[in-house]
């Protein structure tokens, strides 16, 4: 068996896209606070939802991912993440936005718990250490990319930024 580089790159991209959902709130929050008149409590919940879901349900997500299959979990996670992000961009109330953030967090968890298993299956030999080292950077790459795109917020508005 040889390393399937294309698949490994795709899987790394899935993690980066998932991590971008974590980073987008950081730069968009000031505009969301103004538009929706959010207090500090609600704004904090929008930021903390991913970490809270991970802490409370990370192990369960791994068990469920193993039970339904990593491929299905990845497809489901990416679908939920995309749909929730689109719905979040359309949210008119803080409560609706919070619900979409929770759903994004569920999709994020589904993705990040199964990608390592899928990478293990498609990467062999000496490539394994390198690819898993790269996997360790999915979070800073994805969230950092959103931080770099932050200056576009003035022109795009937070809703269009959400759709990205």
């Amino acid at each position: 068996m040889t390393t399937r580089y294309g698949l490994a790159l795709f899987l790394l991209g899935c993690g980066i896209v998932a991590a971008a959902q974590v980073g987008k709130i950081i730069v968009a929050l000031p505009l969301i606070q103004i538009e929706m008149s959010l207090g500090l409590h609600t704004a904090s919940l929008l930021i903390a939802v991913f970490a809270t879901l991970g802490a409370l349900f990370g192990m369960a997500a791994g068990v469920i991912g193993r039970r339904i299959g990593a491929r299905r979990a990845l497809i489901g996670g990416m679908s939920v993440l995309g749909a929730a992000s689109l719905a979040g961009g359309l949210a008119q109330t803080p409560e609706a936005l919070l619900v979409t953030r929770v759903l994004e967090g569920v999709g994020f968890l589904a993705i990040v718990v199964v990608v390592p298993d899928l990478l293990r299956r498609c990467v062999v030999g000496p490539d394994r250490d390198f690819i898993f080292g790269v996997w360790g950077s999915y979070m800073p790459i994805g969230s950092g990319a959103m931080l770099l795109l932050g200056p576009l917020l003035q022109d795009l508005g937070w809703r269009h930024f959400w759709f990205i």
Side-chain angles (χ1 to χ4, degrees), residues 12-90:
L12 294 169
C14 288
I16 291 168
V17 167
Q21 308 315 305
V22 176
K24 72 182 180 185
I25 189 70
I26 297 165
V27 293
L29 192 58
L31 294 177
I32 295 170
Q33 280 184 287
I34 291 167
E35 182 180 319
M36 293 190 173
S37 301
L38 296 183
L40 186 57
H41 183 267
T42 305
S44 299
L45 285 174
L46 291 171
I47 293 172
V49 70
F50 277 62
T52 304
L53 285 171
L56 296 175
F57 303 110
M59 188 181 309
V63 170
I64 292 168
R66 171 93 58 194
R67 182 160 291 175
I68 68 170
R71 185 172 179 258
R72 283 187 180 137
L74 178 65
I75 292 168
M78 291 298 288
S79 299
V80 168
L81 188 74
S85 188
L86 288 174
L90 299 172

Side-chain angles (χ1 to χ4, degrees), residues 2-5 8 122-134:
T2 61
T3 295
R4 297 166 60 191
Y5 292 104
C122 73
V123 179
V124 296
D127 296 328
R128 186 168 280 169
D129 289 342
F130 174 74
I131 293 295
F132 275 96
V134 173

Side-chain angles (χ1 to χ4, degrees), residues 58-164:
M59 188 181 309
V63 170
I64 292 168
R66 171 93 58 194
R67 182 160 291 175
I68 68 170
R71 185 172 179 258
R72 283 187 180 137
L74 178 65
I75 292 168
M78 291 298 288
S79 299
V80 168
L81 188 74
S85 188
L86 288 174
L90 299 172
Q92 297 299 314
T93 65
E95 296 80 15
L97 185 58
L98 185 58
V99 167
T100 64
R101 287 294 288 168
V102 169
L103 291 172
E104 284 178 327
V106 169
F108 172 84
L109 265 182
I111 294 162
V112 301
V113 300
V114 299
V115 166
D117 183 43
L118 292 167
L119 284 171
R120 182 185 54 78
R121 294 182 205 175
C122 73
V123 179
V124 296
D127 296 328
R128 186 168 280 169
D129 289 342
F130 174 74
I131 293 295
F132 275 96
V134 173
W135 170 248
S137 67
Y138 80 92
M139 183 62 81
I141 292 172
S143 57
M146 295 310 274
L147 294 174
L148 289 173
L149 292 174
L152 296 176
L153 275 172
Q154 294 301 336
D155 296 329
L156 293 176
W158 77 267
R159 292 180 185 280
H160 289 101
F161 193 67
W162 229 247
F163 297 143
I164 291 173

